Amino acid sequence: MKPAPFRYHAPKTIDEAVALLAELAPQDGRVLAGGQSLVPIMAFRLARPAHLVDINGVDALRRLEVDGDALCIGACVRHEVFRRPVIPGPLGNLLAAVVRHIGHYPVRTRGTFCGSIAHADPASEWCAAAVALGARIVARSVRGTRVIPADDFFTGIMTTILDEDELLTEVQLPLLPADTRFGFYEFSRRAGDFAIAMAVALYRAQDGRMVEPRIAIGGAEARARRIAAAEQVLAGRAPDAETFAPAAAAAAHDVDPLEDAMTSAEYRRHLVGTVTRRALEASLASP
Ligand SMILES: Cc1cc2nc3c(=O)[nH]c(=O)nc-3n(C[C@H](O)[C@H](O)[C@H](O)COP(=O)(O)OP(=O)(O)OC[C@H]3O[C@@H](n4cnc5c(N)ncnc54)[C@H](O)[C@@H]3O)c2cc1C
């Protein structure tokens, strides 16, 4: 099928883009970024936006640089950019490890990091990474700019606290200390499919102990989130199988899994335990 008719707008600056959104969002206007989620649902006529505000011509949204304590990722930065570490150290390595799980090469060359955050698919790898990393999400409208912590941003399946006329201009990922170890693991039925469950594990390795551990689970619940119960098991203990097993069990116990025709809640709960343990095991080989 082809999309329903829509009017196309191509702003050149962020100011123009937010002015257009102020006018057009109330008339069912939407942002078009990489189009890898929006265009398919338009083609199936599950979405029929009357206006598309295409941000791909806004050069200021291509920013990808370290600014202060964070890596700043502009709204037009594509997934594939992260294939090789964009900065030295654990953060660049973590993003490179995660990105290869997103869809297929053509999807990664068009889809954007920020588009994934705005779209808020529960099975988005970047949403899980953003929560694990304590991302700051920058939203702009004609009313001004606000910075939203990732923990507060996602509210449910494909829903966020972004207002309809707000443009997500960039995501800021705080840099990771050099002693950070990380692991990522996801399970999907076929390579390139959306994951049924995924885990991001992070901690600082100090004197053979895990400090500031973070476990984020994606794909299993309505939104990606950190699992405090699992983190508490890890804090201050040695990174080994004896600690990983109870942390994985705590994550599995804590989640409220989604259920669909293909996947029962109990199966997803079991998977959460498995992906958490495997992400923690992967951290032992972290570069
Ligand atoms: C075959 C296939 C497989 C895929 N597999 C995966 C996968 O395994 N994991 C995964 O995470 N994703 C997957 N995707 C989705 C892909 O990653 C998309 O790129 C991503 O979800 C959305 O980014 P986008 O730039 O394409 O956004 P678009 O499709 O352009 O937009 C998506 C939504 O977000 C809104 N939006 C986008 N950018 C902004 C912004 N800056 N401010 C405000 N609103 C905005 C749009 O209005 C729209 O509602 C897959 C897609 C396909 C087609």
Side-chain angles (χ1 to χ4, degrees), residues 30 42 44 69 71 92 111 143 151 154 193 203 220 265 283:
R30 300 271 283 272
M42 286 174 63
F44 283 116
D69 71 340
L71 175 67
R143 296 177 301 286
D151 279 345
F154 305 108
D193 278 5
Y203 56 86
S283 73

Side-chain angles (χ1 to χ4, degrees), residues 156-245:
I157 298 175
M158 293 176 186
T159 53
T160 71
I161 65 165
L162 214 57
D163 289 333
E164 61 177 8
D165 65 342
E166 277 184 310
L167 177 67
L168 195 171
T169 54
E170 71 178 25
V171 172
Q172 301 171 350
L173 301 179
L175 301 177
L176 292 170
D179 59 6
T180 303
R181 300 280 172 271
F182 68 86
F184 177 81
Y185 195 90
E186 74 170 40
F187 179 79
S188 53
R189 290 187 200 280
R190 293 177 307 186
D193 278 5
F194 282 95
I196 301 173
M198 70 182 77
V200 184
L202 280 176
Y203 56 86
R204 300 181 70 180
Q206 293 181 351
D207 302 323
R209 307 271 150 202
M210 289 179 280
V211 174
E212 299 168 19
R214 298 181 225 171
I215 298 288
I217 297 296
E221 297 185 307
R223 62 187 178 95
R225 71 175 173 102
R226 280 175 63 178
I227 309 289
E231 295 173 353
Q232 281 158 16
V233 174
L234 300 170
R237 298 187 56 188
D240 57 28
E242 279 179 27
T243 311
F244 294 165

Side-chain angles (χ1 to χ4, degrees), residues 30-31 33-38 79 103 107 111-112 115-116 118 124-125 168 194:
R30 300 271 283 272
V31 173
Q36 297 303 296
S37 294
L38 183 55
H79 304 313
V107 171
T112 63
S116 286
S124 155
E125 286 81 0
L168 195 171
F194 282 95

Side-chain angles (χ1 to χ4, degrees), residues 6 52 58:
F6 59 87
L52 286 187
V58 181

